[in-house]
Amino acid sequence: MSQKEIEESLDLLQKDWDVDPILRNFMLGKITDVSDRPIKVKDVVFHVPYLNSEKKFILWKCFWPDCHNCCDRQGRLPLTSDDLITIGKGLKYQKPSEFIKNETLTVTYSEPGPSGQMTTMTTINLKRKKDETEADDGTHISCRFLDDEGGCSMHPDRPGVCYLYPFSSWLENEKGKPRVHATYQFTGDCPGFYLAEDLEPMKEEFKEYSKIIYDYNMASNRTNREGFGSVSFG
């Protein structure tokens, strides 16, 4: 996301939530004295920002069900092969092919990888609105599966990627074995970030998300092997 888009998101967020001015400046790139503090939890390495000037970590907690910003303003919903079966059945489709034809959109997009190289990805995405087109990919759209109170009408069978928020993740080959890494998505939409002197307050979140993130990456990797998507590095 561009700094302008993040600033617009933060302005919308501040209409309903208090945003720490230090965190706002960090998300807008105005604080640069930042260290990456990796912490390994089970099978995932979390990369946690540490603000050297403040001597504090950036941590996170979820305000659900009071907040559903992540569902109101997300850019795409890539599906794994497991999602294609589970969500298709939930929507009463007899065949995954019919679900893919009517409810999904295949898109190709590029984004910077963890080492700065461009990663090109082709994914099958759940349509966030019935008439979504490829031109809508990456734009903020409210998910059509939200109910009137902002709850997910397909929970707990919602797309696996929905469980990752506010993290993004990737796989790296370390001595022939896959290692999963994760870091926050700073889109300006989430009110759950806060500052803390140590990592202890987020101990349980790290444990919970370690399994979620690892399982999702394995499912995503399997999806590519099965021909439902692809990843290439530039």
Side-chain angles (χ1 to χ4, degrees):
M1 294 181 67
S2 69
Q3 292 298 318
K4 181 180 179 181
E5 290 174 314
I6 294 174
E7 186 170 17
E8 290 173 351
S9 296
L10 285 167
D11 289 342
L12 286 173
L13 183 67
Q14 287 188 281
K15 292 181 178 180
D16 299 308
W17 300 87
D18 292 329
V19 177
D20 188 316
I22 295 174
L23 289 174
R24 180 185 174 94
N25 285 336
F26 165 77
M27 293 182 201
L28 293 177
K30 296 179 181 180
I31 296 178
T32 57
D33 187 11
V34 182
S35 299
D36 173 20
R37 297 291 182 90
I39 172 175
K40 184 176 180 293
V41 182
K42 296 183 179 179
D43 296 310
V44 176
V45 177
F46 291 90
H47 296 266
V48 184
Y50 182 80
L51 304 187
N52 296 310
S53 58
E54 305 296 327
K55 297 183 179 179
K56 289 184 179 180
F57 292 93
I58 297 179
L59 302 186
W60 172 86
K61 60 182 176 182
C62 184
F63 288 101
W64 185 268
D66 300 307
C67 171
H68 45 84
N69 291 12
C70 52
C71 304
D72 279 320
R73 291 171 56 77
Q74 32 71 37
R76 63 177 63 91
L77 292 174
L79 302 178
T80 67
S81 52
D82 294 340
D83 292 329
L84 295 175
I85 295 172
T86 301
I87 298 174
K89 286 182 178 179
L91 295 178
K92 310 303 181 184
Y93 282 93
Q94 298 299 314
K95 299 179 179 179
S97 58
E98 288 299 308
F99 166 68
I100 292 172
K101 177 182 177 181
N102 293 304
E103 306 286 352
T104 72
L105 191 69
T106 300
V107 299
T108 297
Y109 59 94
S110 297
E111 58 185 28
S115 301
Q117 83 277 23
M118 293 303 295
T119 303
T120 300
M121 307 182 72
T122 297
T123 57
I124 297 177
N125 294 355
L126 182 66
K127 288 182 179 178
R128 297 162 296 164
K129 60 179 183 177
K130 273 290 187 180
D131 58 349
E132 183 174 352
T133 68
E134 191 169 352
D136 295 315
D137 182 63
T139 62
H140 286 150
I141 295 176
S142 183
C143 181
R144 62 190 166 102
F145 295 101
L146 292 178
D147 60 29
D148 292 339
E149 297 180 352
C152 178
S153 62
M154 63 170 60
H155 182 84
D157 295 327
R158 67 191 189 275
V161 71
C162 297
Y163 286 91
L164 299 186
Y165 198 85
F167 293 99
S168 61
S169 62
W170 66 94
L171 272 172
E172 288 186 0
N173 187 318
E174 295 184 8
K175 298 180 180 179
K177 295 182 179 180
R179 172 69 69 200
V180 180
H181 295 258
T183 190
Y184 300 129
Q185 302 177 55
F186 290 111
T187 62
D189 298 308
C190 182
F193 293 104
Y194 64 98
L195 299 175
E197 294 181 354
D198 57 59
L199 299 172
E200 185 65 24
M202 200 175 162
K203 181 178 179 180
E204 294 305 315
E205 282 85 354
F206 284 134
K207 287 182 180 179
E208 178 184 0
Y209 273 81
S210 179
K211 175 173 174 51
I212 291 171
I213 291 170
Y214 182 84
D215 289 348
Y216 176 80
N217 274 269
M218 295 303 102
S220 182
N221 192 40
R222 185 170 63 251
T223 298
N224 291 335
R225 294 200 308 270
E226 293 171 352
F228 290 103
S230 65
V231 178
S232 63
F233 302 96

